Amino acid sequence: MKMFIGASIIVSVFLMIYVFLQYTVINQDNVYHDDEQKGLNKQIVINFSHVVAENTPKGLAAQKFAEIVNQKSDGKVKIEVYSNGVLYSDDEELAALRRNDVQMIAPSISKLTDLSPTWQLFDLPFIFDDYSEAKQVFTGKIGQDLFSTLQEKNIKGLALWSNGFKQMTSNTKPLLHPADFQGQTFRIMPSEVIKKQFELLGAKPQAVSFNKVYQSLERQEFDGQENTISNIYSKRLYELQKYMTISNHGYLGYAVLMDQKYWDSLPEDVKQLLSDAMVETTNWIWTQSKMMNDEQLQQIKNKSGMRVYYLNDTQKAEWKKQFNSLYQSFEANATKQTLDIIQQIKNIESKK
Ligand code: LMR
């Protein structure tokens, strides 16, 4: 009988310990995890599609962003990066984002001008005097305010990234004076302001997807194009263009975007993690992009037969004079928001 009572006590004690463990240690999820943490309980995969090569500012920044997110989330949020337009070309990626076929893209700002004309002002030639001015505008309040124009279209702007200044190239002749452009054909990005810029120089511009630039220059469908050193280098456009003018006439920036509905569907803790990783990546790209363009210019000079010219101040004044009617008509038709931004940029310039 004594043995029976002893055994019962031992069994009861084990049962109590088991029940206690069930509700505390073993079932920790129910006890400790609040709603915000639940987002990290299952893996979230975010497909990030872009059109440039991997060894470019955007290509490397996308990769860096993926690494930071992966590390900070312990692998629970995975950013899959698709470069070189393997998933979607630049004229397809916005529609793909809206269909949720991809969850992140980073088109150049010129490619947003159809969707939201306010962004057109960044295509005005010589809008930025130097790199630090572009950085101040894109990473400051102006950039943030501009995202509201995308929110109206259900697009979430995460950050503005940098590539660098655009340069002019041609296979026909050096481009130093406006008259040099006369009659030449140019590949451009889809943008009304860029189109006008070339027309005012007497050239014939045509919008073509970035994926097709190498091929169309190879087939001699165009005499020239404008792009950053980094894109000219990584896509080997220097093999097909004899002359390059370092004109710094336009700035190539990127808007990193998600579909608003997709963003809203993410758990709060994941949104926070992505935002933090985006701040870190954005700081990184604004430092790296200038260095990359400088280094790759050196590479082009070292390893290609391309002839590189630098636009001097007198020549720059000639180009600007040629663009006068573009500046005037742009301001005459601009919205108050656009005029305010132009004024803020002028204020930044006057404080230098
Ligand atoms: C171009 O079309 O030339 C660029 O926008 C490509 C890019 O994304 O840098």
Side-chain angles (χ1 to χ4, degrees), residues 51-52 58 90 108 111 187 189 210 227 231 252 254:
V51 298
V52 293
K58 178 162 67 179
D90 39 8
S108 53
K111 291 167 192 167
R187 176 270 168 175
M189 293 187 248
F210 186 63
N227 227 312
N231 281 342
L252 182 58
Y254 301 116

Side-chain angles (χ1 to χ4, degrees), residues 81-271:
V81 180
Y82 297 90
S83 56
N84 285 307
V86 288
L87 279 190
Y88 297 102
S89 68
D90 39 8
D91 41 18
E92 297 163 338
E93 60 187 5
L94 196 56
L97 186 80
R98 287 188 179 287
R99 290 194 307 268
N100 197 28
D101 288 347
V102 281
Q103 290 71 44
M104 254 179 109
I105 58 173
S108 53
I109 286 171
S110 311
K111 291 167 192 167
L112 295 178
T113 52
D114 246 8
L115 180 74
S116 174
T118 315
W119 297 80
Q120 281 184 344
L121 89 122
F122 297 117
D123 281 335
L124 285 173
F126 301 110
I127 182 83
F128 296 125
D129 284 347
D130 56 35
Y131 178 83
S132 74
E133 197 178 307
K135 181 175 179 191
Q136 212 173 322
V137 170
F138 284 142
T139 59
K141 185 171 174 320
I142 298 178
Q144 281 309 313
D145 289 351
L146 275 166
F147 278 142
S148 64
T149 68
L150 297 179
Q151 211 168 357
E152 292 160 12
K153 318 269 175 186
N154 285 319
I155 301 281
K156 165 82 183 163
L158 295 169
L160 291 173
W161 283 358
S162 154
N163 184 323
F165 279 100
K166 286 185 289 182
Q167 321 300 349
M168 292 286 188
T169 70
S170 166
N171 205 29
T172 307
K173 53 153 56 174
L175 301 163
L176 294 169
H177 306 281
D180 299 329
F181 288 80
Q182 192 65 41
Q184 290 202 48
T185 51
F186 282 84
R187 176 270 168 175
I188 57 165
M189 293 187 248
S191 150
E192 278 308 305
V193 171
I194 296 178
K195 186 164 171 260
K196 291 246 171 60
Q197 166 194 274
F198 278 99
E199 284 170 352
L200 286 170
L201 291 167
K204 295 178 204 139
Q206 195 190 320
V208 166
S209 157
F210 186 63
N211 283 18
K212 296 189 181 140
V213 176
Y214 187 90
Q215 203 180 30
S216 57
L217 290 175
E218 196 176 31
R219 289 189 190 140
Q220 299 184 338
E221 288 166 15
F222 298 102
D223 296 301
Q225 61 90 50
E226 55 163 26
N227 227 312
T228 58
I229 303 281
S230 139
N231 281 342
I232 293 167
Y233 177 77
S234 59
K235 288 289 172 187
R236 303 197 332 273
L237 305 185
Y238 59 82
E239 290 176 352
L240 305 167
Q241 301 275 276
K242 282 199 199 99
Y243 310 99
M244 173 158 66
T245 305
I246 305 298
S247 49
N248 293 330
H249 64 280
Y251 203 83
L252 182 58
Y254 301 116
V256 189
L257 308 174
M258 274 190 177
D259 180 72
Q260 185 70 50
K261 265 195 271 142
Y262 178 75
W263 171 259
D264 291 342
S265 75
L266 292 171
E268 288 307 316
D269 56 343
V270 173
K271 284 185 195 162

